[in-house]
Amino acid sequence: MLRYLHRSGFQPFSQRLLPCVQSVAVPRLYPVQPSAVRHVRSWSNIPFITVPLSRAHGKPFAHRSELKHAKRIVVKLGSAVVTRGDECGLALGRLASIVEQVSVLQNQGREMMLVTSGAVAFGKQRLRHEILLSQSVRQALHSGQNQLKELAIPVLEARACAAAGQSGLMALYEAMFTQYSICAAQILVTNLDFHDEQKRRNLNGTLHELLRMNIVPIVNTNDAVVPPAEPNSDLQGVNVISVKDNDSLAARLAVEMKTDLLIVLSDVEGLFDSPPGTDDAKLIDIFYPGDQQSVTFGTKSRVGLGGMEAKVKAALWALQGGTSVVIANGTHPKVSGHVITDIVEGKKVGTFFSEVKPAGPTVEQQGEMARSGGRMLATLEPEQRAEIIHHLADLLTDQREEILLANKKDLEEAEGRLATPLLKRLSLSTSKLNSLAIGLRQIAASSQDSVGRVLRRTRIAKNLELEQVTVPIGVLLVIFESRPDCLPQVAALAIASGNGLLLKGGKEAAHSNRILHLLTQEALSIHGVKDAIQLVNTREEVEDLCRLDKIIDLIIPRGSSQLVRDIQKAAKGIPVMGHSEGICHMYVDSEASVDKVTRLVRDSKCEYPAACNALETLLIHRDLLRTPLFDQIIDMLRVEQVKIHAGPKFASYLTFSPSEVKSLRIEYGDLEVCIEVVDSVQEAIDHIHKYGSSHTDVIVTENEKTAEFFLQHVDSACVFWNASTRFSDGYRFGLGAEVGISTSRIHARGPVGLEGLLTTKWLLRGQDHVVSDFSEHGSLKYLHENLPVPQRNFS
């Protein structure tokens, strides 16, 4: 909804204009001063982005990610977008949102043009109002009474409605754009304006001059005089297209003006492979010329002249002329407020028309392949799944030279671009590969009793037995940054648990990920389930992947806290397993052992500071200040070149303290640590609960009672006594490997291994049992007897 910058107390825009729409005459609104343009960017709820906008027109964009470079854009608003559901009047709130988005893009330096419907609906509303008023007055005069009979409204001719509605529609647009200090100009055209060379040149010159003056042209067919629609035969040509509706007008205008992008907004999400609403209808993400045969078109929209078939033909004609096209939904209340800006930012909205077909399958196709392959994987015998994992472990060691060569390429390309902690995560070595192989063999051993394991058996009644058994979750999406060693770990866990898997690695590890995925598929091929694990190599944004709720059952992010937060925010309807931060604490109690403390602090902080289970905050009991133990800790940290940040209380004890910490809730991921002072174990627990991330927290003490109090009261996924934080790891826990560490409180918590990738289903075996037999007067009674669970023998 539009908001006013210049006068307080004004009503929302739609409320203010509603009386105006009913009487058609739009009152003059106070214009915003030019200086207010600066503020539009801050108060608008649409993000302001700055991108280079120079582009030589010729070929359309090949990928969605390139749309952010579009300079000249045509937005076509279909009748279903502009009009209300009753088709008598305009959808004011929706229009206000569209104008806001167009204005933001215009203020970014783009050249925006609108092709709009709505004149007929606006005029229809006005004429209905006038007819009702006229009839009621005549009837009142004729009868001499105030009691009016039911009034009949005649069928209104579309051209007359258009003539009555054009001025009001334009006045509405002018009033809306004025709020953003943007001027709009109306241009009415017919087919002759494009086919008559002189008129065509005049139109072209007018539009270019308007764009040069930063004015938004609002174009519409002159429906008051437009001739009957022509046949579709001319849509096949590149140089000729009839203006028979606003779809063809928008396409013709886009090519004529050499625009970079045409956005066609309708009342459907985009182009489907069959009519929307049918059971098997799937939204087509990218449509290529020649794919028309694979699409079944339905009926046209509830209003307007064109249907989806007309939109596709017009879109393909524009694509051939060098203009990129996106068809999307402009009516959905959850997306209409940002649909245009989302498209321009390259987000996966609607159907994108492209001439460049990708070499491999789309991510949707990869998801279907992963699901099908995962189901086949789950039906294999446990020994067969274990054999695949053993083969992958062998390949990691046998092909180490090829793996390390690919990793060397990644490291060379990342040099100078990635921070030191990320470079460490990116690096592979012979020892890392050997450790990976050992971990994979542990997973293979534990996978023998995973899928199909009976957890519970219950005799419901005679000959009616219930079982609860373990099953795979389905299709996992694992997104990881700078961690190529993550790929075989996660792949082995997916194989062991019978899950399909989509992998999205960071581009900084592209060479390493490619070879590791090829080796994974080679291992899967020994039992014909190669498709179960897919590496996403297309230019899919992470946010777009998180919207595939019909394909993906669980998302597991492996990377920075920012990545995890972004995924948790972007995932709509898909659960996310993981933790956004690893703020791990170590509390050194007053009864801590001098010999143990420095070893534990050094290992927790310095062994691998980039890890999520590395120590970030060291809590020291107040009684240890100015003692030899405290001095040893500080000396060790200095030797290890660890930068110390002082917490508020610690800083108050020191005359010359280290730099005071900006926040007690920081994950450094480097050789930095925060030191803070506490008065008791309870204060340490309170500090951890307030500033920690529920990841891993440690107490160092020789007092067993104090240690148990800490273990029982700290509410974190992992709580240790006299052990390094670095033990918080699936491999070190004996899980073989982990897909990540979860701080969630449902399903899985802590290092998530094989068990965390399983769910359950119920199996009920009966003999013609019906519920009515167990009613009050039925012949059967519930027994609910617990039965012994069978044990598998894998010797």
Side-chain angles (χ1 to χ4, degrees):
M1 193 57 61
L2 291 177
R3 290 164 284 182
Y4 282 60
L5 296 177
H6 47 285
R7 291 206 167 186
S8 60
F10 272 29
Q11 292 175 301
F13 205 80
S14 60
Q15 295 178 21
R16 181 171 172 78
L17 287 182
L18 188 57
C20 310
V21 172
Q22 292 173 342
S23 61
V24 178
V26 179
R28 177 177 177 82
L29 295 178
Y30 297 96
V32 180
Q33 298 302 318
S35 60
V37 175
R38 295 193 304 269
H39 303 291
V40 172
R41 300 170 184 176
S42 61
W43 59 259
S44 171
N45 59 7
I46 300 173
F48 184 90
I49 56 174
T50 303
V51 293
L53 298 176
S54 57
R55 172 178 179 260
H57 186 81
K59 288 188 176 182
F61 295 116
H63 305 282
R64 284 183 185 268
S65 59
E66 298 172 352
L67 295 180
K68 60 179 176 287
H69 300 296
K71 165 75 172 176
R72 185 171 292 172
I73 302 172
V74 171
V75 179
K76 184 264 177 178
L77 307 179
S79 300
V81 176
V82 175
T83 60
R84 299 198 310 246
D86 60 5
E87 303 175 23
C88 293
L90 303 180
L92 293 177
R94 198 180 300 145
L95 273 181
S97 176
I98 289 169
V99 168
E100 182 181 14
Q101 295 174 76
V102 171
S103 299
V104 168
L105 294 173
Q106 181 82 2
N107 283 333
Q108 291 176 2
R110 305 179 199 268
E111 297 174 344
M112 304 298 296
M113 290 180 278
L114 280 183
V115 174
T116 179
S117 302
V120 173
F122 205 171
K124 184 177 181 181
Q125 182 187 33
R126 180 185 179 187
L127 293 180
R128 283 167 59 96
H129 179 79
E130 293 296 328
I131 290 170
L132 284 171
L133 181 62
S134 175
Q135 288 183 353
S136 62
V137 170
R138 285 198 305 270
Q139 187 171 329
L141 292 173
H142 178 74
S143 64
Q145 301 174 358
N146 292 328
Q147 295 180 348
L148 304 179
K149 298 178 180 179
E150 186 177 347
L151 302 177
I153 299 175
V155 176
L156 300 175
E157 206 274 330
R159 290 187 179 87
C161 292
Q166 283 289 359
S167 60
L169 178 65
M170 190 58 203
L172 179 63
Y173 273 120
E174 285 180 343
M176 287 182 171
F177 276 112
T178 296
Q179 309 310 308
Y180 300 91
S181 295
I182 290 176
C183 183
Q186 183 182 35
I187 298 180
L188 297 175
V189 298
T190 65
N191 204 29
L192 295 176
D193 295 318
F194 288 99
H195 289 284
D196 183 284
E197 190 60 32
Q198 184 60 48
K199 290 184 177 181
R200 180 180 169 187
R201 282 199 299 267
N202 292 343
L203 175 62
N204 193 295
T206 301
L207 287 169
H208 276 95
E209 183 64 15
L210 291 174
L211 294 176
R212 186 188 66 81
M213 294 188 293
N214 200 34
I215 296 173
V216 176
I218 299 178
V219 187
N220 194 2
T221 52
N222 192 353
D223 293 327
V225 298
V226 71
E230 299 177 27
N232 288 335
S233 58
D234 57 352
L235 281 165
Q236 308 303 319
V238 175
N239 299 318
V240 181
I241 184 172
S242 291
V243 176
K244 60 179 61 65
D245 54 41
N246 279 336
D247 296 317
S248 53
L249 168 59
R252 183 64 191 256
L253 180 68
V255 174
E256 184 72 27
M257 294 298 295
K258 298 181 178 179
T259 60
D260 302 314
L261 174 61
L262 168 60
I263 299 173
V264 180
L265 297 183
S266 182
D267 57 352
V268 292
E269 278 67 28
L271 181 61
F272 289 78
D273 57 1
S274 56
T278 57
D279 290 339
D280 297 326
K282 293 182 180 178
L283 179 66
I284 299 174
D285 173 39
I286 305 177
F287 189 80
Y288 307 98
D291 283 356
Q292 296 96 311
Q293 294 79 7
S294 62
V295 177
T296 303
F297 294 102
T299 58
K300 71 181 187 70
S301 62
R302 59 177 173 82
V303 290
L305 296 174
M308 185 54 71
E309 186 172 10
K311 289 175 175 57
V312 171
K313 289 180 177 179
L316 290 174
W317 190 89
L319 188 69
Q320 287 178 295
T323 296
S324 297
V325 184
V326 175
I327 297 178
N329 192 335
T331 63
H332 196 292
K334 290 186 178 180
V335 299
S336 60
H338 46 81
V339 60
I340 299 173
T341 49
D342 280 355
I343 289 170
V344 175
E345 289 172 15
K347 294 182 180 178
K348 207 168 191 177
V349 179
T351 299
F352 173 62
F353 286 70
S354 175
E355 292 181 328
V356 180
K357 274 200 171 186
T362 66
V363 68
E364 289 84 0
Q365 291 169 334
Q366 285 186 296
E368 294 296 337
M369 292 162 68
R371 184 172 298 281
S372 176
R375 286 171 176 163
M376 292 176 62
L377 185 63
T379 62
L380 296 179
E381 293 297 323
E383 296 82 1
Q384 292 175 306
R385 289 193 294 270
E387 186 181 356
I388 293 172
I389 300 170
H390 276 297
H391 188 47
L392 178 56
D394 293 338
L395 288 171
L396 291 180
T397 53
D398 294 344
Q399 304 294 326
R400 71 165 63 90
E401 298 292 335
E402 194 173 350
I403 296 170
L404 294 178
L405 183 62
N407 185 243
K408 184 181 177 182
K409 291 181 183 178
D410 288 326
L411 291 170
E412 289 172 350
E413 293 175 5
E415 191 67 40
R417 295 191 299 109
L418 291 183
T420 302
L422 292 178
L423 282 173
K424 289 180 180 178
R425 291 187 180 188
L426 179 59
S427 175
L428 292 175
S429 63
T430 300
S431 61
K432 266 192 178 182
L433 293 175
N434 289 336
S435 295
L436 278 173
I438 293 170
L440 263 58
R441 293 186 179 101
Q442 288 181 346
I443 295 172
S446 63
S447 69
Q448 297 289 318
D449 189 23
S450 56
V451 181
R453 176 161 49 95
V454 179
L455 302 178
R456 174 189 295 182
R457 291 181 65 221
T458 304
R459 179 177 288 117
I460 304 297
K462 183 180 180 181
N463 296 324
L464 184 63
E465 293 188 2
L466 179 69
E467 284 185 348
Q468 184 184 20
V469 300
T470 57
V471 293
I473 289 175
V475 175
L476 315 176
L477 168 62
V478 178
I479 302 169
F480 54 101
E481 294 177 324
S482 307
R483 288 285 299 271
D485 57 326
C486 172
L487 194 153
Q489 288 180 336
V490 173
L493 287 169
I495 295 166
S497 57
N499 283 289
L501 178 62
L502 284 177
L503 292 159
K504 175 67 173 176
K507 60 183 178 182
E508 65 278 356
H511 300 293
S512 306
N513 290 337
R514 190 175 300 114
I515 180 63
L516 290 170
H517 178 249
L518 287 173
L519 295 177
T520 302
Q521 289 202 312
E522 182 179 335
L524 288 164
S525 297
I526 65 175
H527 286 297
V529 287
K530 177 183 175 182
D531 290 341
I533 297 179
Q534 300 286 323
L535 180 64
V536 179
N537 286 317
T538 57
R539 301 168 67 142
E540 302 290 333
E541 296 294 334
V542 168
E543 186 174 343
D544 293 328
L545 291 172
C546 293
R547 295 175 179 173
L548 301 176
D549 57 323
K550 291 183 173 63
I551 297 175
I552 296 165
D553 298 300
L554 178 67
I555 301 175
I556 305 173
R558 296 287 303 271
S560 66
S561 57
Q562 187 60 51
L563 171 73
V564 179
R565 283 193 295 269
D566 289 344
I567 290 172
Q568 289 172 336
K569 183 179 178 181
K572 306 294 184 184
I574 309 176
V576 179
M577 179 187 291
H579 65 281
S580 59
E581 293 172 310
I583 305 175
C584 302
H585 292 73
M586 180 177 287
Y587 166 58
V588 182
D589 186 52
S590 59
E591 298 180 66
S593 165
V594 175
D595 297 331
K596 293 176 183 176
V597 171
T598 52
R599 274 174 47 83
L600 292 173
V601 174
R602 179 188 290 112
D603 189 78
S604 297
K605 178 72 258 185
C606 308
E607 196 263 344
Y608 189 11
C612 65
N613 57 11
L615 174 65
E616 303 295 4
T617 299
L618 182 62
L619 301 176
I620 305 287
H621 193 283
R622 183 186 57 184
D623 293 346
L624 296 178
L625 292 178
R626 300 183 180 90
T627 65
L629 172 58
F630 178 75
D631 292 339
Q632 286 183 27
I633 295 172
I634 299 300
D635 290 342
M636 181 274 296
L637 292 174
R638 285 174 178 163
V639 170
E640 297 290 343
Q641 299 182 330
V642 177
K643 183 178 180 180
I644 297 173
H645 301 276
K649 288 186 68 174
F650 180 44
S652 69
Y653 284 99
L654 303 175
T655 305
F656 301 101
S657 70
S659 60
E660 187 168 341
V661 70
K662 296 178 180 178
S663 169
L664 291 168
R665 193 181 283 113
I666 295 179
E667 181 180 13
Y668 297 103
D670 206 345
L671 287 173
E672 299 182 58
V673 70
C674 171
I675 297 181
E676 182 59 310
V677 174
V678 293
D679 294 338
S680 64
V681 63
Q682 184 60 57
E683 188 175 336
I685 293 170
D686 293 342
H687 179 103
I688 290 168
H689 288 164
K690 185 174 183 179
Y691 300 108
S693 60
S694 301
H695 191 295
T696 301
D697 300 292
V698 175
I699 182 172
V700 183
T701 185
E702 295 304 301
N703 187 314
E704 183 177 354
K705 184 178 180 181
T706 302
E708 287 300 326
F709 182 84
F710 185 91
L711 293 174
Q712 297 303 320
H713 286 80
V714 171
D715 187 16
S716 296
C718 300
V719 189
F720 302 160
W721 172 24
N722 288 348
S724 168
T725 60
R726 297 279 289 118
F727 277 104
S728 181
D729 175 83
Y731 171 72
R732 298 183 180 106
F733 276 16
L735 305 179
E738 65 184 32
V739 292
I741 295 179
S742 173
T743 55
S744 172
R745 298 180 184 278
I746 56 174
H747 188 65
R749 199 176 186 204
V752 180
L754 180 57
E755 294 293 326
L757 299 182
L758 296 170
T759 184
T760 64
K761 71 176 180 181
W762 297 90
L763 305 177
L764 183 64
R765 298 178 176 90
Q767 292 182 3
D768 193 31
H769 288 82
V770 293
V771 171
S772 58
D773 288 342
F774 295 86
S775 64
E776 183 178 354
H777 303 291
S779 58
L780 295 176
K781 299 295 181 183
Y782 288 112
L783 299 176
H784 293 151
E785 296 176 0
N786 291 327
L787 300 175
V789 174
Q791 300 297 317
R792 290 185 178 182
N793 183 10
F794 298 106
S795 57

